[in-house]
Amino acid sequence: MRKRLIQIFGFLISTLGWVFVCCTIAMDYWRITYIGGQGGSWIIKTASYWSNLWRDCYTDSTGTSNCRDYDVLWGVTPYIQGVRGLLMVGMAFGCVAAILCFIGMDCTYIGGSEKAKDKLVFIGAIFHFVGGISDMAAYCLYINRIARMTFANSVERGVLRYGIGPPIFLGLVASFFIILGALLYAVTVYLVLVPKRVVYALAPRTYMAPQTYKGSRNRTPYNRPSYYGLPRQSRQSRQSRSSGYTNSSRVSRISQITEERSARDAFV
């Protein structure tokens, strides 16, 4: 039950993150700057310049906006192309990850056996993590570009100093949600796919020398060795050897007595 709840929460939070990322791609005011009116007064008249991933715009105090769309793909500023590419790659990973995790969730009845479903969830979590990192890298690249122009000591004439707009902050929160959802997915299946290994430690054996009496050199209180007894085969072979020696000695003694009797009878 706990596994299902964690996976459902991970699915909801990661899906919410991807929805936020899609919204930021279409939103305006990625960067924005305001220009005051006559005499620097912000009350009399204001105008704003803002941009997103698709166009640059100018809005006057009456609310009228004049926009200039970006040119074709190979005519766009390189860092804009980089941000677009990272976001597209992250969304592709997120789409595949959402499908895999939905099939492999414990509350669904598709995906095969339990182990196969856990593998799908783990692979989907990896895809979510990579997609979230890709999106975060895109937003950080855009922030770096704005910060370099904002905090530069001197800029060219006519170059505006922009500030960070709301979509950047929303995108960073979305990336955090995606990575958090990936971690929740991974936690539910990691212990199943990588079980904990149990190592049994054996106590070391110590050898104890046999005790000897004071009055003798090699006499011990036990007839057998103090560490290990003799194997059964060696004991049987020793018994058979001793019995063989006994039988052969008896036979030789009987034959000797018989020869003595026969010699005495011949003499008589």
Short mmCIF file of all heavy atoms in Angstrom, two decimals, residues 100-168:
data_model
loop_
_atom_site.label_atom_id
_atom_site.label_comp_id
_atom_site.label_asym_id
_atom_site.label_seq_id
_atom_site.Cartn_x
_atom_site.Cartn_y
_atom_site.Cartn_z
N LEU A 100 6.36 4.89 -19.58
CA LEU A 100 6.95 3.73 -18.90
C LEU A 100 6.51 3.64 -17.45
O LEU A 100 6.17 2.55 -16.96
CB LEU A 100 8.48 3.82 -18.99
CG LEU A 100 9.11 3.66 -20.38
CD1 LEU A 100 10.62 3.84 -20.30
CD2 LEU A 100 8.79 2.30 -20.96
N CYS A 101 6.50 4.77 -16.77
CA CYS A 101 6.11 4.75 -15.36
C CYS A 101 4.63 4.44 -15.18
O CYS A 101 4.24 3.75 -14.23
CB CYS A 101 6.45 6.09 -14.70
SG CYS A 101 8.21 6.38 -14.50
N PHE A 102 3.80 4.91 -16.09
CA PHE A 102 2.37 4.60 -16.00
C PHE A 102 2.12 3.11 -16.20
O PHE A 102 1.29 2.50 -15.52
CB PHE A 102 1.60 5.41 -17.03
CG PHE A 102 0.11 5.18 -16.99
CD1 PHE A 102 -0.67 5.76 -16.02
CD2 PHE A 102 -0.50 4.36 -17.94
CE1 PHE A 102 -2.04 5.53 -15.98
CE2 PHE A 102 -1.86 4.13 -17.90
CZ PHE A 102 -2.64 4.72 -16.92
N ILE A 103 2.83 2.49 -17.14
CA ILE A 103 2.67 1.04 -17.37
C ILE A 103 3.22 0.24 -16.19
O ILE A 103 2.65 -0.77 -15.79
CB ILE A 103 3.36 0.63 -18.68
CG1 ILE A 103 2.66 1.30 -19.87
CG2 ILE A 103 3.36 -0.89 -18.86
CD1 ILE A 103 3.36 1.07 -21.19
N GLY A 104 4.33 0.69 -15.62
CA GLY A 104 4.98 -0.08 -14.57
C GLY A 104 4.50 0.20 -13.17
O GLY A 104 4.98 -0.45 -12.23
N MET A 105 3.57 1.13 -12.98
CA MET A 105 3.09 1.42 -11.63
C MET A 105 2.37 0.22 -11.03
O MET A 105 1.77 -0.59 -11.74
CB MET A 105 2.18 2.65 -11.65
CG MET A 105 2.91 3.96 -11.88
SD MET A 105 1.78 5.36 -12.02
CE MET A 105 1.09 5.37 -10.37
N ASP A 106 2.45 0.13 -9.72
CA ASP A 106 1.88 -1.03 -9.02
C ASP A 106 0.35 -1.02 -9.05
O ASP A 106 -0.27 -2.07 -8.88
CB ASP A 106 2.38 -1.03 -7.57
CG ASP A 106 2.17 -2.36 -6.89
OD1 ASP A 106 2.22 -3.38 -7.59
OD2 ASP A 106 1.93 -2.39 -5.66
N CYS A 107 -0.26 0.14 -9.26
CA CYS A 107 -1.72 0.24 -9.25
C CYS A 107 -2.34 -0.04 -10.61
O CYS A 107 -3.57 -0.01 -10.74
CB CYS A 107 -2.15 1.61 -8.75
SG CYS A 107 -1.53 2.98 -9.74
N THR A 108 -1.56 -0.27 -11.63
CA THR A 108 -2.08 -0.60 -12.96
C THR A 108 -1.97 -2.10 -13.20
O THR A 108 -1.14 -2.78 -12.59
CB THR A 108 -1.32 0.16 -14.06
OG1 THR A 108 0.08 -0.17 -13.98
CG2 THR A 108 -1.48 1.66 -13.89
N TYR A 109 -2.79 -2.60 -14.09
CA TYR A 109 -2.84 -4.04 -14.35
C TYR A 109 -2.27 -4.39 -15.72
O TYR A 109 -2.70 -5.35 -16.36
CB TYR A 109 -4.30 -4.53 -14.25
CG TYR A 109 -4.87 -4.39 -12.87
CD1 TYR A 109 -5.62 -3.28 -12.53
CD2 TYR A 109 -4.63 -5.35 -11.89
CE1 TYR A 109 -6.14 -3.13 -11.26
CE2 TYR A 109 -5.15 -5.21 -10.61
CZ TYR A 109 -5.89 -4.10 -10.30
OH TYR A 109 -6.40 -3.96 -9.03
N ILE A 110 -1.34 -3.61 -16.19
CA ILE A 110 -0.65 -3.89 -17.45
C ILE A 110 0.85 -3.84 -17.17
O ILE A 110 1.30 -3.26 -16.18
CB ILE A 110 -1.03 -2.88 -18.55
CG1 ILE A 110 -0.81 -1.43 -18.05
CG2 ILE A 110 -2.45 -3.08 -19.01
CD1 ILE A 110 -1.11 -0.38 -19.09
N GLY A 111 1.61 -4.49 -18.03
CA GLY A 111 3.06 -4.43 -17.88
C GLY A 111 3.71 -5.75 -17.54
O GLY A 111 4.93 -5.82 -17.44
N GLY A 112 2.93 -6.81 -17.35
CA GLY A 112 3.52 -8.11 -17.09
C GLY A 112 3.67 -8.40 -15.60
O GLY A 112 2.88 -7.96 -14.76
N SER A 113 4.72 -9.15 -15.26
CA SER A 113 4.96 -9.55 -13.88
C SER A 113 5.40 -8.37 -13.03
O SER A 113 5.71 -7.28 -13.54
CB SER A 113 6.02 -10.66 -13.84
OG SER A 113 7.26 -10.18 -14.35
N GLU A 114 5.46 -8.62 -11.73
CA GLU A 114 5.82 -7.54 -10.81
C GLU A 114 7.26 -7.08 -11.03
O GLU A 114 7.56 -5.88 -10.97
CB GLU A 114 5.63 -8.02 -9.38
CG GLU A 114 5.88 -6.93 -8.34
CD GLU A 114 5.60 -7.41 -6.93
OE1 GLU A 114 5.17 -8.58 -6.78
OE2 GLU A 114 5.80 -6.62 -5.99
N LYS A 115 8.16 -8.02 -11.28
CA LYS A 115 9.55 -7.65 -11.50
C LYS A 115 9.71 -6.85 -12.79
O LYS A 115 10.49 -5.89 -12.85
CB LYS A 115 10.42 -8.91 -11.54
CG LYS A 115 11.91 -8.62 -11.53
CD LYS A 115 12.72 -9.89 -11.38
CE LYS A 115 14.21 -9.57 -11.32
NZ LYS A 115 15.02 -10.81 -11.17
N ALA A 116 8.99 -7.24 -13.84
CA ALA A 116 9.05 -6.49 -15.10
C ALA A 116 8.50 -5.08 -14.92
O ALA A 116 9.04 -4.11 -15.47
CB ALA A 116 8.27 -7.24 -16.19
N LYS A 117 7.43 -4.94 -14.14
CA LYS A 117 6.86 -3.61 -13.89
C LYS A 117 7.85 -2.75 -13.10
O LYS A 117 7.98 -1.55 -13.36
CB LYS A 117 5.55 -3.75 -13.12
CG LYS A 117 4.42 -4.33 -13.96
CD LYS A 117 3.24 -4.75 -13.09
CE LYS A 117 2.50 -3.56 -12.53
NZ LYS A 117 1.78 -2.82 -13.57
N ASP A 118 8.55 -3.35 -12.15
CA ASP A 118 9.54 -2.58 -11.38
C ASP A 118 10.68 -2.10 -12.28
O ASP A 118 11.19 -0.98 -12.12
CB ASP A 118 10.10 -3.43 -10.24
CG ASP A 118 9.06 -3.69 -9.17
OD1 ASP A 118 8.09 -2.92 -9.08
OD2 ASP A 118 9.21 -4.67 -8.41
N LYS A 119 11.07 -2.93 -13.23
CA LYS A 119 12.12 -2.52 -14.16
C LYS A 119 11.65 -1.35 -15.03
O LYS A 119 12.41 -0.41 -15.29
CB LYS A 119 12.55 -3.69 -15.05
CG LYS A 119 13.33 -4.77 -14.31
CD LYS A 119 13.74 -5.88 -15.25
CE LYS A 119 14.56 -6.95 -14.52
NZ LYS A 119 14.96 -8.06 -15.43
N LEU A 120 10.41 -1.40 -15.47
CA LEU A 120 9.88 -0.29 -16.27
C LEU A 120 9.84 1.01 -15.46
O LEU A 120 10.17 2.08 -15.97
CB LEU A 120 8.47 -0.63 -16.77
CG LEU A 120 8.36 -1.73 -17.84
CD1 LEU A 120 6.91 -2.02 -18.16
CD2 LEU A 120 9.10 -1.29 -19.11
N VAL A 121 9.45 0.90 -14.20
CA VAL A 121 9.41 2.10 -13.35
C VAL A 121 10.81 2.66 -13.13
O VAL A 121 11.02 3.88 -13.15
CB VAL A 121 8.74 1.76 -12.00
CG1 VAL A 121 8.89 2.92 -11.01
CG2 VAL A 121 7.26 1.46 -12.21
N PHE A 122 11.77 1.78 -12.95
CA PHE A 122 13.15 2.24 -12.72
C PHE A 122 13.71 2.93 -13.97
O PHE A 122 14.35 3.98 -13.88
CB PHE A 122 14.03 1.06 -12.32
CG PHE A 122 15.40 1.45 -11.85
CD1 PHE A 122 15.57 2.05 -10.61
CD2 PHE A 122 16.51 1.24 -12.65
CE1 PHE A 122 16.82 2.43 -10.18
CE2 PHE A 122 17.76 1.61 -12.22
CZ PHE A 122 17.93 2.20 -10.98
N ILE A 123 13.46 2.35 -15.14
CA ILE A 123 13.91 2.98 -16.39
C ILE A 123 13.20 4.32 -16.59
O ILE A 123 13.82 5.31 -17.00
CB ILE A 123 13.67 2.04 -17.57
CG1 ILE A 123 14.52 0.77 -17.44
CG2 ILE A 123 13.99 2.73 -18.89
CD1 ILE A 123 14.22 -0.30 -18.46
N GLY A 124 11.90 4.37 -16.30
CA GLY A 124 11.17 5.63 -16.41
C GLY A 124 11.70 6.68 -15.45
O GLY A 124 11.75 7.88 -15.79
N ALA A 125 12.09 6.26 -14.24
CA ALA A 125 12.66 7.22 -13.28
C ALA A 125 13.97 7.80 -13.81
O ALA A 125 14.23 9.00 -13.64
CB ALA A 125 12.89 6.52 -11.94
N ILE A 126 14.78 6.97 -14.45
CA ILE A 126 16.03 7.47 -15.04
C ILE A 126 15.74 8.49 -16.13
O ILE A 126 16.37 9.55 -16.22
CB ILE A 126 16.87 6.30 -15.57
CG1 ILE A 126 17.33 5.41 -14.42
CG2 ILE A 126 18.08 6.81 -16.35
CD1 ILE A 126 18.06 4.16 -14.87
N PHE A 127 14.74 8.19 -16.98
CA PHE A 127 14.37 9.13 -18.04
C PHE A 127 13.85 10.44 -17.46
O PHE A 127 14.14 11.52 -17.97
CB PHE A 127 13.33 8.49 -18.96
CG PHE A 127 13.92 7.63 -20.04
CD1 PHE A 127 14.84 6.63 -19.73
CD2 PHE A 127 13.56 7.78 -21.36
CE1 PHE A 127 15.38 5.83 -20.71
CE2 PHE A 127 14.10 6.99 -22.36
CZ PHE A 127 15.02 6.01 -22.02
N HIS A 128 13.04 10.35 -16.41
CA HIS A 128 12.55 11.56 -15.75
C HIS A 128 13.72 12.40 -15.22
O HIS A 128 13.73 13.63 -15.37
CB HIS A 128 11.62 11.18 -14.59
CG HIS A 128 10.19 11.05 -14.97
ND1 HIS A 128 9.50 12.05 -15.62
CD2 HIS A 128 9.30 10.04 -14.79
CE1 HIS A 128 8.25 11.66 -15.83
NE2 HIS A 128 8.10 10.43 -15.33
N PHE A 129 14.66 11.73 -14.60
CA PHE A 129 15.80 12.46 -14.02
C PHE A 129 16.61 13.15 -15.11
O PHE A 129 16.98 14.33 -14.97
CB PHE A 129 16.68 11.48 -13.25
CG PHE A 129 17.80 12.12 -12.49
CD1 PHE A 129 17.57 12.73 -11.26
CD2 PHE A 129 19.08 12.15 -13.01
CE1 PHE A 129 18.61 13.34 -10.57
CE2 PHE A 129 20.12 12.75 -12.33
CZ PHE A 129 19.87 13.35 -11.10
N VAL A 130 16.89 12.45 -16.20
CA VAL A 130 17.67 13.05 -17.29
C VAL A 130 16.89 14.22 -17.91
O VAL A 130 17.46 15.28 -18.23
CB VAL A 130 18.01 11.99 -18.35
CG1 VAL A 130 18.68 12.61 -19.55
CG2 VAL A 130 18.92 10.92 -17.74
N GLY A 131 15.58 14.05 -18.11
CA GLY A 131 14.78 15.14 -18.66
C GLY A 131 14.73 16.35 -17.75
O GLY A 131 14.80 17.50 -18.22
N GLY A 132 14.61 16.12 -16.43
CA GLY A 132 14.61 17.24 -15.50
C GLY A 132 15.93 17.99 -15.48
O GLY A 132 15.96 19.23 -15.44
N ILE A 133 17.04 17.25 -15.55
CA ILE A 133 18.35 17.91 -15.61
C ILE A 133 18.51 18.70 -16.90
O ILE A 133 19.07 19.81 -16.90
CB ILE A 133 19.46 16.85 -15.48
CG1 ILE A 133 19.43 16.21 -14.09
CG2 ILE A 133 20.83 17.45 -15.73
CD1 ILE A 133 19.72 17.16 -12.96
N SER A 134 18.01 18.16 -18.01
CA SER A 134 18.10 18.88 -19.28
C SER A 134 17.31 20.18 -19.24
O SER A 134 17.79 21.24 -19.69
CB SER A 134 17.58 17.98 -20.41
OG SER A 134 17.60 18.65 -21.65
N ASP A 135 16.11 20.15 -18.68
CA ASP A 135 15.31 21.38 -18.58
C ASP A 135 15.96 22.39 -17.65
O ASP A 135 15.99 23.60 -17.94
CB ASP A 135 13.90 21.04 -18.09
CG ASP A 135 13.10 20.28 -19.13
OD1 ASP A 135 13.48 20.35 -20.32
OD2 ASP A 135 12.12 19.61 -18.76
N MET A 136 16.48 21.92 -16.54
CA MET A 136 17.15 22.84 -15.61
C MET A 136 18.37 23.48 -16.26
O MET A 136 18.65 24.68 -16.06
CB MET A 136 17.55 22.09 -14.34
CG MET A 136 18.16 22.98 -13.27
SD MET A 136 18.49 22.10 -11.73
CE MET A 136 16.81 21.82 -11.16
N ALA A 137 19.10 22.71 -17.06
CA ALA A 137 20.25 23.27 -17.77
C ALA A 137 19.81 24.35 -18.76
O ALA A 137 20.50 25.37 -18.93
CB ALA A 137 21.00 22.16 -18.51
N ALA A 138 18.65 24.16 -19.39
CA ALA A 138 18.15 25.18 -20.33
C ALA A 138 17.84 26.49 -19.61
O ALA A 138 18.23 27.58 -20.06
CB ALA A 138 16.90 24.65 -21.04
N TYR A 139 17.15 26.39 -18.49
CA TYR A 139 16.82 27.62 -17.74
C TYR A 139 18.07 28.29 -17.19
O TYR A 139 18.18 29.53 -17.19
CB TYR A 139 15.84 27.30 -16.62
CG TYR A 139 14.51 26.79 -17.10
CD1 TYR A 139 14.05 25.53 -16.74
CD2 TYR A 139 13.70 27.57 -17.93
CE1 TYR A 139 12.83 25.06 -17.19
CE2 TYR A 139 12.48 27.11 -18.38
CZ TYR A 139 12.05 25.84 -18.00
OH TYR A 139 10.84 25.38 -18.46
N CYS A 140 19.01 27.49 -16.72
CA CYS A 140 20.26 28.07 -16.20
C CYS A 140 21.07 28.74 -17.31
O CYS A 140 21.72 29.77 -17.06
CB CYS A 140 21.08 26.98 -15.51
SG CYS A 140 20.36 26.36 -13.98
N LEU A 141 21.03 28.19 -18.51
CA LEU A 141 21.72 28.82 -19.64
C LEU A 141 21.11 30.19 -19.95
O LEU A 141 21.84 31.17 -20.19
CB LEU A 141 21.65 27.91 -20.86
CG LEU A 141 22.28 28.43 -22.16
CD1 LEU A 141 23.77 28.68 -21.96
CD2 LEU A 141 22.04 27.46 -23.30
N TYR A 142 19.80 30.28 -19.92
CA TYR A 142 19.13 31.56 -20.18
C TYR A 142 19.45 32.55 -19.06
O TYR A 142 19.69 33.75 -19.32
CB TYR A 142 17.63 31.33 -20.29
CG TYR A 142 16.89 32.42 -21.03
CD1 TYR A 142 16.72 32.35 -22.41
CD2 TYR A 142 16.36 33.51 -20.35
CE1 TYR A 142 16.05 33.34 -23.10
CE2 TYR A 142 15.68 34.51 -21.03
CZ TYR A 142 15.53 34.41 -22.39
OH TYR A 142 14.86 35.42 -23.08
N ILE A 143 19.44 32.08 -17.80
CA ILE A 143 19.76 32.97 -16.67
C ILE A 143 21.19 33.47 -16.78
O ILE A 143 21.49 34.64 -16.50
CB ILE A 143 19.53 32.22 -15.35
CG1 ILE A 143 18.05 31.95 -15.15
CG2 ILE A 143 20.07 33.03 -14.17
CD1 ILE A 143 17.75 31.05 -13.97
N ASN A 144 22.11 32.60 -17.19
CA ASN A 144 23.51 33.00 -17.32
C ASN A 144 23.66 34.11 -18.36
O ASN A 144 24.44 35.06 -18.16
CB ASN A 144 24.35 31.78 -17.71
CG ASN A 144 25.82 32.11 -17.84
OD1 ASN A 144 26.40 32.78 -16.98
ND2 ASN A 144 26.44 31.63 -18.90
N ARG A 145 22.94 34.00 -19.45
CA ARG A 145 23.01 35.04 -20.49
C ARG A 145 22.52 36.38 -19.96
O ARG A 145 23.13 37.43 -20.19
CB ARG A 145 22.17 34.59 -21.69
CG ARG A 145 22.14 35.59 -22.83
CD ARG A 145 23.46 35.68 -23.54
NE ARG A 145 23.39 36.60 -24.68
CZ ARG A 145 24.37 36.76 -25.56
NH1 ARG A 145 25.49 36.08 -25.43
NH2 ARG A 145 24.22 37.61 -26.56
N ILE A 146 21.40 36.35 -19.23
CA ILE A 146 20.86 37.61 -18.68
C ILE A 146 21.79 38.18 -17.63
O ILE A 146 22.04 39.40 -17.58
CB ILE A 146 19.46 37.35 -18.10
CG1 ILE A 146 18.49 36.93 -19.20
CG2 ILE A 146 18.93 38.60 -17.39
CD1 ILE A 146 17.13 36.52 -18.69
N ALA A 147 22.33 37.32 -16.76
CA ALA A 147 23.20 37.81 -15.69
C ALA A 147 24.49 38.41 -16.24
O ALA A 147 25.00 39.41 -15.71
CB ALA A 147 23.52 36.66 -14.73
N ARG A 148 25.02 37.83 -17.30
CA ARG A 148 26.24 38.39 -17.88
C ARG A 148 26.01 39.80 -18.41
O ARG A 148 26.89 40.67 -18.27
CB ARG A 148 26.73 37.47 -19.00
CG ARG A 148 27.35 36.17 -18.52
CD ARG A 148 27.73 35.29 -19.69
NE ARG A 148 28.67 35.97 -20.58
CZ ARG A 148 29.06 35.48 -21.76
NH1 ARG A 148 28.58 34.31 -22.17
NH2 ARG A 148 29.92 36.14 -22.50
N MET A 149 24.86 40.05 -19.02
CA MET A 149 24.58 41.39 -19.53
C MET A 149 24.19 42.36 -18.41
O MET A 149 24.48 43.55 -18.46
CB MET A 149 23.45 41.32 -20.56
CG MET A 149 23.77 40.47 -21.77
SD MET A 149 25.20 41.09 -22.70
CE MET A 149 24.58 42.68 -23.23
N THR A 150 23.52 41.85 -17.38
CA THR A 150 23.05 42.71 -16.30
C THR A 150 24.20 43.19 -15.43
O THR A 150 24.26 44.37 -15.06
CB THR A 150 22.01 41.98 -15.46
OG1 THR A 150 20.92 41.57 -16.30
CG2 THR A 150 21.48 42.88 -14.35
N PHE A 151 25.10 42.29 -15.08
CA PHE A 151 26.18 42.63 -14.15
C PHE A 151 27.49 42.99 -14.86
O PHE A 151 28.54 43.04 -14.22
CB PHE A 151 26.43 41.46 -13.20
CG PHE A 151 25.24 41.14 -12.35
CD1 PHE A 151 24.44 40.04 -12.63
CD2 PHE A 151 24.90 41.94 -11.28
CE1 PHE A 151 23.33 39.74 -11.84
CE2 PHE A 151 23.80 41.65 -10.48
CZ PHE A 151 23.02 40.56 -10.77
N ALA A 152 27.44 43.22 -16.15
CA ALA A 152 28.64 43.64 -16.86
C ALA A 152 29.00 45.07 -16.48
O ALA A 152 28.13 45.92 -16.25
CB ALA A 152 28.42 43.53 -18.37
N ASN A 153 30.29 45.34 -16.40
CA ASN A 153 30.74 46.69 -16.02
C ASN A 153 30.39 47.73 -17.07
O ASN A 153 30.01 48.86 -16.76
CB ASN A 153 32.25 46.68 -15.77
CG ASN A 153 32.63 45.83 -14.59
OD1 ASN A 153 31.86 45.74 -13.62
ND2 ASN A 153 33.79 45.18 -14.64
N SER A 154 30.52 47.34 -18.31
CA SER A 154 30.20 48.27 -19.40
C SER A 154 29.59 47.49 -20.55
O SER A 154 30.03 46.37 -20.86
CB SER A 154 31.46 49.00 -19.89
OG SER A 154 32.41 48.07 -20.37
N VAL A 155 28.56 48.05 -21.15
CA VAL A 155 27.90 47.42 -22.28
C VAL A 155 27.87 48.41 -23.43
O VAL A 155 28.07 49.62 -23.26
CB VAL A 155 26.45 47.01 -21.91
CG1 VAL A 155 26.45 45.91 -20.86
CG2 VAL A 155 25.65 48.21 -21.44
N GLU A 156 27.64 47.91 -24.61
CA GLU A 156 27.58 48.77 -25.78
C GLU A 156 26.36 49.67 -25.73
O GLU A 156 25.36 49.38 -25.05
CB GLU A 156 27.54 47.91 -27.05
CG GLU A 156 28.78 47.05 -27.25
CD GLU A 156 28.69 46.20 -28.49
OE1 GLU A 156 27.66 46.32 -29.19
OE2 GLU A 156 29.64 45.44 -28.76
N ARG A 157 26.44 50.74 -26.45
CA ARG A 157 25.33 51.69 -26.47
C ARG A 157 24.12 51.08 -27.18
O ARG A 157 24.24 50.49 -28.25
CB ARG A 157 25.76 52.97 -27.19
CG ARG A 157 24.76 54.09 -27.08
CD ARG A 157 25.32 55.37 -27.67
NE ARG A 157 24.37 56.47 -27.51
CZ ARG A 157 24.61 57.71 -27.93
NH1 ARG A 157 25.77 58.00 -28.54
NH2 ARG A 157 23.70 58.66 -27.75
N GLY A 158 22.98 51.22 -26.56
CA GLY A 158 21.76 50.66 -27.12
C GLY A 158 21.43 49.27 -26.62
O GLY A 158 20.37 48.74 -26.93
N VAL A 159 22.33 48.66 -25.84
CA VAL A 159 22.08 47.32 -25.29
C VAL A 159 21.36 47.47 -23.96
O VAL A 159 21.81 48.22 -23.08
CB VAL A 159 23.40 46.54 -25.12
CG1 VAL A 159 23.12 45.20 -24.46
CG2 VAL A 159 24.08 46.35 -26.46
N LEU A 160 20.24 46.79 -23.80
CA LEU A 160 19.43 46.90 -22.60
C LEU A 160 19.86 45.85 -21.57
O LEU A 160 20.31 44.76 -21.92
CB LEU A 160 17.96 46.73 -22.93
CG LEU A 160 17.36 47.74 -23.90
CD1 LEU A 160 15.92 47.37 -24.24
CD2 LEU A 160 17.43 49.15 -23.32
N ARG A 161 19.67 46.22 -20.31
CA ARG A 161 19.92 45.28 -19.21
C ARG A 161 18.58 44.69 -18.79
O ARG A 161 17.73 45.40 -18.24
CB ARG A 161 20.60 45.99 -18.04
CG ARG A 161 21.97 46.56 -18.37
CD ARG A 161 22.52 47.30 -17.16
NE ARG A 161 23.79 47.96 -17.45
CZ ARG A 161 24.99 47.41 -17.23
NH1 ARG A 161 25.08 46.20 -16.70
NH2 ARG A 161 26.09 48.07 -17.53
N TYR A 162 18.42 43.42 -19.04
CA TYR A 162 17.14 42.76 -18.76
C TYR A 162 17.16 42.12 -17.37
O TYR A 162 18.21 41.86 -16.78
CB TYR A 162 16.85 41.68 -19.81
CG TYR A 162 16.46 42.22 -21.16
CD1 TYR A 162 17.43 42.45 -22.14
CD2 TYR A 162 15.13 42.48 -21.47
CE1 TYR A 162 17.08 42.93 -23.38
CE2 TYR A 162 14.77 42.97 -22.71
CZ TYR A 162 15.75 43.19 -23.66
OH TYR A 162 15.39 43.68 -24.91
N GLY A 163 15.95 41.85 -16.89
CA GLY A 163 15.76 41.10 -15.66
C GLY A 163 15.09 39.76 -15.95
O GLY A 163 14.56 39.53 -17.04
N ILE A 164 15.11 38.89 -14.96
CA ILE A 164 14.53 37.55 -15.12
C ILE A 164 13.01 37.63 -14.97
O ILE A 164 12.51 38.23 -14.02
CB ILE A 164 15.12 36.57 -14.10
CG1 ILE A 164 16.63 36.47 -14.30
CG2 ILE A 164 14.48 35.20 -14.23
CD1 ILE A 164 17.32 35.66 -13.24
N GLY A 165 12.31 36.99 -15.88
CA GLY A 165 10.86 37.01 -15.86
C GLY A 165 10.26 35.82 -15.12
O GLY A 165 10.96 34.87 -14.74
N PRO A 166 8.94 35.82 -14.92
CA PRO A 166 8.26 34.73 -14.19
C PRO A 166 8.43 33.34 -14.80
O PRO A 166 8.52 32.36 -14.04
CB PRO A 166 6.79 35.17 -14.21
CG PRO A 166 6.83 36.64 -14.40
CD PRO A 166 8.02 36.91 -15.27
N PRO A 167 8.47 33.15 -16.12
CA PRO A 167 8.61 31.79 -16.65
C PRO A 167 9.90 31.09 -16.20
O PRO A 167 9.90 29.85 -16.07
CB PRO A 167 8.60 31.99 -18.17
CG PRO A 167 7.89 33.26 -18.38
CD PRO A 167 8.26 34.12 -17.22
N ILE A 168 10.96 31.84 -15.97
CA ILE A 168 12.21 31.20 -15.54
C ILE A 168 12.04 30.58 -14.16
O ILE A 168 12.44 29.43 -13.92
CB ILE A 168 13.36 32.23 -15.53
CG1 ILE A 168 13.55 32.83 -16.93
CG2 ILE A 168 14.64 31.58 -15.07
CD1 ILE A 168 13.97 31.84 -17.96
#
